[in-house]
Amino acid sequence: MKTTYKILIACAITCVLTAVATAYITSLYYTSDFSEMVCKDGASPDINGCCPGEEYKDMGDQGFACCPMDGGDCFPPIVP
């Protein structure tokens, strides 16, 4: 009888830990996806996917990119 209770307790603990781990990992996933869809200052990207202070440029074979108006590296537009 003691063995049955030990097995039931182990199953219950495993179930709870799995649920907590799944909820934590899911929250990390959704939080990281959302943060990629907004600009650093919290503003929304324009219709081309560029943030304020950036311009949409044709990079030739590399496609289009958002480039800071004051210079710096260009990067792909934010696409929801």
Side-chain angles (χ1 to χ4, degrees), residues 7 19 27 29 38 50 53 79:
I7 292 172
S27 71
Y29 175 77
V38 295
C50 297
V79 179

Side-chain angles (χ1 to χ4, degrees), residues 23-45:
Y24 177 72
I25 291 170
T26 303
S27 71
L28 288 179
Y29 175 77
Y30 285 115
T31 302
S32 66
D33 279 352
F34 178 74
S35 65
E36 292 177 6
M37 294 183 191
V38 295
C39 301
K40 290 180 183 176
D41 61 358
S44 296

Side-chain angles (χ1 to χ4, degrees), residues 5 15 31 33 35 46 58 62-63 75:
Y5 289 124
C15 189
T31 302
D33 279 352
S35 65
D46 64 11
D58 185 357
Q62 297 175 350
F75 47 88

Side-chain angles (χ1 to χ4, degrees), residues 1 5 20 25 43-44 48-50 55 57 64 66 68-69 74 76-77:
M1 199 63 140
Y5 289 124
V20 169
I25 291 170
S44 296
N48 296 319
C50 297
E55 59 184 339
K57 285 189 175 180
F64 289 90
C66 295
M69 291 180 191
C74 299

